[in-house]
Amino acid sequence: MSENLHPSVKDFKDFLQRHPTLVEKVRRSGKGWQETYEKWALLGEDDPMWDKYRGKQESTSTPKDGKREIMDRLIHMSENIDMDKFQSQVDNINSAISTVQELLHQFQPSDQSHRQPFGSSFRNTNRPFGGFRD
């Protein structure tokens, strides 16, 4: 299938492989690739606009660098969070938890002292045959 692609599309795919953060940004934004492709076609590969999306150079990292990288990623991800949507989701979860708690409260017996432990119903003396036992 990639053999049938137009040469400019192949070049664009190569460009995206060299700019992984651009791929992440487009996927997170939910926008289509058309707009990015058009900018790439108009501005060219060497435009300074693309510098912030270049791939990071691989290097030997120490554990401190790994922690730093994780923190940088968390900060970067938190910048892209829509707080209104996040608050809405938290409210929905809170509402669901409240509903489940209300349902559980409704089905609990009002007097906890008459509750029998699990499996004790077989030893109930009110049954004429004493329950079934193996």
Side-chain angles (χ1 to χ4, degrees):
M1 184 168 137
S2 63
E3 298 163 357
N4 299 333
L5 293 177
H6 190 273
S8 66
V9 175
K10 287 181 184 178
D11 292 341
F12 181 63
K13 287 177 80 172
D14 292 338
F15 171 76
L16 291 175
Q17 287 179 352
R18 293 188 306 273
H19 298 79
T21 53
L22 175 61
V23 174
E24 291 175 18
K25 180 186 178 238
V26 171
R27 287 180 180 163
R28 270 194 313 272
S29 70
K31 295 179 181 177
W33 290 101
Q34 184 67 34
E35 181 181 337
T36 307
Y37 175 78
E38 290 172 359
K39 285 182 183 178
W40 173 80
L42 289 172
L43 299 173
E45 220 173 284
D46 299 326
D47 193 89
M49 174 188 167
W50 308 117
D51 290 344
K52 59 185 173 185
Y53 302 113
R54 294 210 189 278
K56 296 179 180 177
Q57 297 293 328
E58 302 233 358
S59 63
T60 57
S61 61
T62 63
K64 286 185 178 181
D65 290 341
K67 290 179 183 177
R68 174 84 175 169
E69 182 179 337
I70 290 171
M71 288 303 295
D72 289 343
R73 282 186 177 186
L74 288 173
I75 291 170
H76 181 70
M77 287 175 18
S78 68
E79 291 171 352
N80 296 322
I81 293 176
D82 182 359
M83 292 309 282
D84 292 331
K85 287 183 180 179
F86 183 76
Q87 184 63 44
S88 173
Q89 292 297 324
V90 169
D91 291 342
N92 287 341
I93 291 170
N94 190 25
S95 174
I97 290 172
S98 296
T99 303
V100 170
Q101 286 176 335
E102 288 176 22
L103 285 171
L104 289 174
H105 182 68
Q106 287 177 355
F107 290 111
Q108 286 180 342
S110 60
D111 187 9
Q112 296 290 329
S113 63
H114 293 313
R115 271 184 92 183
Q116 296 179 352
F118 178 74
S120 65
S121 62
F122 291 118
R123 292 183 291 260
N124 189 344
T125 57
N126 294 335
R127 292 189 179 192
F129 300 108
F132 296 101
R133 295 183 188 176
D134 287 335

